[in-house]
């Protein structure tokens, strides 16, 4: 009987499984990240950190819609200079911690990336895709020239792997992916721009009105983005969006992802989701006679 | 969001109001909801009354609480929940230790026979004292305007704490930390309901976390045994922006 | 007690309620459209018709995902010259029939629109937004200059109201809406580009791989598009996407829609959905003291 | 999609095969599924066997059916469903009238005592004849290679139709229309299972509709009373592209 190994590789990063905690969910406090790593995640991505402290938006910052979630946290963060301690706590267990950063210019991104590297982050993820904050996030991430400049600048400044997280809120995600091609891997997708109105209050539920939709609703959109970019660029991809079970992980991998990030499902399934999915993937590999996950990466893409 | 109309409003101290409404749901003592004041904000709030008629007891603290206590009967309130782990039910002799608006969350636990220790800065801020049986409740005030002058410790020292089957406490972290330290080597069962910044209430934003536990899901109530392993308790917490600061 | 009237108006079209059957769902056969009108829809939009007969894609053309649906019918249609009979049958009950058309050029659209008018269609809806067919649909609808040309050309050729149906699969829906501003109303949104892979077949479920996502999953995306376009242009809007109950209709109207189209929900709720929602809207109007639906159009938009 | 492995395959005529598989679901006679041959197509298919072991009986008609009947035991089939309104259950004397592969959908209704009338172009295409009791089944073939020479009408004329409590029929529309016309003024209860183009199977695409009814939801079985109001029945239908054409 073969050994079923879940070991995954993204750029030069080696992971014990393809399952990573997504940015922005339970990853502001170092102790929380540490606990999630202890309880089964192969790596965590920190929440997105900027150059200066930002309070983010006033609550309501989330609206639950069954298992889906609309959020406009507003990139609340303590500023990069106050985040080293959290990375230090999170890394104490010895698994990879990926530092997510956001900014408006190539210089800002590269300075943030250098600081993340100096804190010991094992990779850096460029958030080019937050859908609800003006001037950063998806406004940056829908401009191919700027994306190219940011990725190039960061790559020239740090030695740790660089992941570029892209937004689905564009006409042509492949064009943006090509612009980001110097990244070691692409992360697809961030949330989808959306609104919920409370009809009894006659007001948008989120204080910011606009938010980002996550959860099962966006899975087919994420799978499409991964499929598209894998087919057209062949780049290494981390899939993200609406994953809550092993089927979703397998689907993303067959669309071309080498690993995945899981966020919103933590809300419904709790931290045990990582261990549950790992077990289920192994059962699937057994019954489908898959010896290595490498076999299925992109296996569902018709060329 | 759930919505309900305010049916009654009571001023129970110069800065604290109780808003009553109908909500057909089972909520257990210690659980909370996120209350929304459209256009202003959304804040965590315990339910102080849990019968068919439910209520919030709200202290005027800032923007959103102010907006809420200025609502009038007939106006609408919005909220979502209930969230969080309730206090565990317990038989026998119980002591309730409340600081400031923390008494709101303990109010549903006041029963015939319960004892109380209420701590506040000043007399006006002592909530729900008269709901205890005569002789069953003591108070401390920082300014000595009522009861024992001093903080919660002064009150704790007057009580035979090991004679209680269960102690429930709710209030500012600094007070709870004193309670915890005072009790930690005693033979007593206690549950403390903590407060942290809460943005989501549903275990995703991490703003309410303490040593990897989310107050909104794993808490806000914790047992003495859980608190023993929390080095952030009474020591550090994250601000609204996520900056690590000392607990005041 | 006030009379609760659901009468709605879009351009010069008067509807007995704001509830319209969306294009592509149960509207290929004239008898089906007639029956849906009899059973409660205020109007129907025909499936999108092109200049020549098109078989569309080979099945599987749909994939069910709970209440959501992924489809790539592929604009199958008999060609405009064979569609007059269906419109004739559908119109026999006396309610408005809106002819949906698709094409690649302004000339093609305007010739189709003229034929729809000659068949007696009460309005024409320009499908600028089909997400899964190359050369027509959303490829056309994401080019502002072409959108402007098509809408202008059609407006100059027909006298019936012209609705432009836009795609959410663009970076900036407001820019497209502005390009379409000569239309009498905008229809927002068509389906969202998506993929589903069957992990046991290791193939996309749809024969075309890419499909359009509809149903509850896309409602917050549709509401966002309506909100955005209403806020920025003030145009008359027909909301569409994921509507299955009166709450959804009210939400779209508070975001700025004057009427709505319902598609995928027919699958789960059947044709009775129109009558059920009408009843529920009236109850809502009573309990929320809304005398006319005009009061709530755009009421949830913060300016 | 549901998937299952083929456990057995039987050739039951030169162009018709039965594929057996396990599927733990309740399917009623007359219901159908959409069967997917990845890379080729997806087509509507009745289940000819409804026990714990289920089966399709598939006629080699074109691309997708050809792909399916060339699958071997151990290979995987994919399908979704069950869909559609089943034949209504009925006690008493039943007659099954099947044309061509229409017998597949009637097969689960063959019971001790059921009578059959099977119509086909030629002897080889007469399906499931030997599953009826001796003397209970008659056949017609267009070419006279077996049974009565002629079409279904020739067979109908030989039967005392009003003696049956229920008649179930399935086959090409032209045949069903003859059956309908022959029965429509008689005192008989009958249900006919129609065939139309089916793209979605779930009531959205309209390709299977007949006078506002969707075969995939409201059918494929219809009662005589329903058919009475369908002027498209036996007369017009839409092609794969949606073009209205005469029923051949
Ligand atoms: C589980 C729990 C139960 C509570 N129950 C009660 C109760 O029953 N009665 C009562 O009077 N108070 C209660 N509180 C405290 C109450 O939530 C705060 O007083 C309130 O959030 C203050 O908000 P504000 O907008 O009025 O003040 P501001 O100072 O204007 O608040 C500024 C911002 O900070 C946020 N904020 C401030 N404090 C908190 C906090 N603790 N959590 C989350 N966000 C905060 C607000 O959302 C606001 O946007 C409870 C707190 C928790 C965590
Ligand atoms: C409710 C129902 C139950 C059926 N049960 C059986 C059965 O048990 N056994 C059996 O042998 N046949 C059955 N049929 C008929 C069977 O579906 C057709 O023979 C089959 O679709 C032919 O497809 P093909 O790809 O082999 O042929 P092709 O001619 O290659 O088909 C060309 C295209 O047309 C489509 N197509 C052709 N006919 C139909 C149709 N009737 N409905 C939908 N799409 C069609 C196919 O999807 C294909 O893409 C049933 C049909 C219906 C409606
Ligand atoms: C509450 C919340 C906060 C988020 N914050 C961030 C963030 O700071 N940076 C980022 O790149 N993505 C952020 N995201 C997006 C997620 O990382 C992820 O891309 C998205 O939620 C889709 O995955 P999911 O459906 O598994 O949640 C956030 C998502 C949620 C729900
Ligand atoms: C099966 C199917 C076919 C469709 N065909 C068309 C079409 O031909 N033309 C068009 O403009 N929209 C078409 N649509 C999109 C719908 O009209 C509608 O915009 C979309 O489904 C969102 O609404 P819903 O969630 O209520 O279905 C189709 C949708 C479905 C599900
Ligand atoms: S309040 Fe967001 S995790 Fe607890
Ligand atoms: S097959 Fe699509 S409606 Fe029946």
């Amino acid at each position: 009987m073969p050994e079923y190994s879940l070991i995954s590789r993204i750029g030069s990063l080696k992971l014990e499984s393809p399952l990573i905690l997504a940015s922005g969910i339970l990853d502001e406090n170092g102790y929380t990240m540490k606990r999630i790593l202890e309880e089964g995640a192969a790596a965590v991505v920190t929440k997105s950190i900027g150059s200066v402290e930002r309070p983010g938006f006033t609550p309501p910052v989330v609206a639950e819609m069954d298992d889906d979630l609309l959020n406009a946290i507003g990139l609340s963060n303590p500023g990069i200079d106050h985040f080293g301690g959290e990375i230090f706590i999170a890394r104490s267990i010895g698994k990879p911690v990926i530092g997510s950063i956001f900014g408006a210019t190539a210089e800002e991104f590269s300075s943030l990336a250098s600081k993340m590297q100096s804190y010991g982050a094992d990779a850096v993820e460029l958030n080019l895709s937050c859908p609800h904050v003006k001037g950063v996030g998806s406004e940056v991430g829908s401009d191919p020239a700027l994306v190219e400049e940011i990725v190039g600048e960061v790559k020239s400044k740090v030695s740790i792997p660089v992941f570029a997280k892209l937004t689905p809120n564009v006409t042509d995600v492949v064009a943006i992916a090509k612009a980001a091609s110097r990244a070691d891997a692409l992360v697809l997708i961030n949330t989808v721009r959306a609104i919920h109105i409370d009809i009894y209050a006659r007001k948008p539920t989120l204080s910011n009105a606009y938010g980002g939709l996550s959860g099962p609703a966006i899975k087919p959109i994420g799978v499409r983005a991964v499929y598209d970019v894998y087919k057209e660029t062949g780049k290494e991809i981390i899939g993200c969006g609406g994953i809550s079970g092993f089927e979703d992980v397998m689907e993303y991998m067959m669309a071309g992802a080498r690993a995945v990030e899981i966020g919103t499902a933590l809300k419904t399934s709790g931290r045990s989701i990582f261990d549950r999915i790992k077990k289920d993937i192994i059962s699937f590999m057994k019954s489908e006679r898959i010896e290595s996950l490498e076999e299925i990466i992109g296996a569902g893409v018709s060329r | 969001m759930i919505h309900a109309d305010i049916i009654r409003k009571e001023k129970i101290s110069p800065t604290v109001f109780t808003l009553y409404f109908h909500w057909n749901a089972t909520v257990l003592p210690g659980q909370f909801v996120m209350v929304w004041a459209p256009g202003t904000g959304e804040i965590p709030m315990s339910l102080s009354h849990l019968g068919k008629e439910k209520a919030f007891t709200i202290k005027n603290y800032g923007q959103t609480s102010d907006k809420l206590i200025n609502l009038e009967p007939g106006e609408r309130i919005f909220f979502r929940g209930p969230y969080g782990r309730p206090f565990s039910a317990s038989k026998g002799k119980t002591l309730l230790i409340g600081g400031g608006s923390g008494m709101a969350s303990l109010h549903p636990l006041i029963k015939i026979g319960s004892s109380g220790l209420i701590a506040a800065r000043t007399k006006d801020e002592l909530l729900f004292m008269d709901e205890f049986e005569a002789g069953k409740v003591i108070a401390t005030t920082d300014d000595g305007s009522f009861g024992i002058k001093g903080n919660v410790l002064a009150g704790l020292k007057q009580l035979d704490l090991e004679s209680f089957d269960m102690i429930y406490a709710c209030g500012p972290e600094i007070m709870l930390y004193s309670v915890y330290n005072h009790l930690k080597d005693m033979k007593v069962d206690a549950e403390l309901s903590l407060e942290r910044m809460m943005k989501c209430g549903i275990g995703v934003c991490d703003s309410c976390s303490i040593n990897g536990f989310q107050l909104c899901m794993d808490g806000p109530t914790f047992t003495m045994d859980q608190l023993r392993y929390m080095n952030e308790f009474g020591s550090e917490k994250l601000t609204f922006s996520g900056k690590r600061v000392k607990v005041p």
Side-chain angles (χ1 to χ4, degrees), chain B residues 155-183:
Chain B
L156 286 170
K157 287 181 184 149
Q158 307 248 330
L159 292 166
D160 177 10
L161 295 165
E162 293 191 353
S163 76
F164 293 99
D165 296 298
M166 176 61 92
I167 298 175
Y168 300 108
C170 183
E173 188 151 333
I174 184 153
M175 170 198 128
L176 293 177
Y177 194 56
S178 303
V179 171
Y180 165 80
N181 278 317
H182 191 75
L183 297 182

Side-chain angles (χ1 to χ4, degrees), chain A residues 57-59, chain B residues 16 30-34 40-48 56-67 101-105 170 193-199 207 215 220 240:
Chain A
F57 299 130
T58 303
Chain B
V16 181
Q31 290 190 301
F32 68 97
V33 297
M34 297 294 293
T40 307
E42 188 191 41
I43 55 177
M45 201 49 63
S46 307
L47 282 109
S48 56
F56 303 125
T57 295
I58 308 178
K59 185 172 155 59
N60 185 342
Y61 177 79
Q63 228 184 331
T64 305
S65 48
D66 188 60
K67 179 76 175 275
S101 64
M103 273 310 293
S105 121
C170 183
S193 177
L194 309 193
E195 249 188 56
R196 288 274 150 131
M197 199 55 69
M198 281 193 182
K199 290 188 178 180
S207 68
L215 245 75
F240 194 79

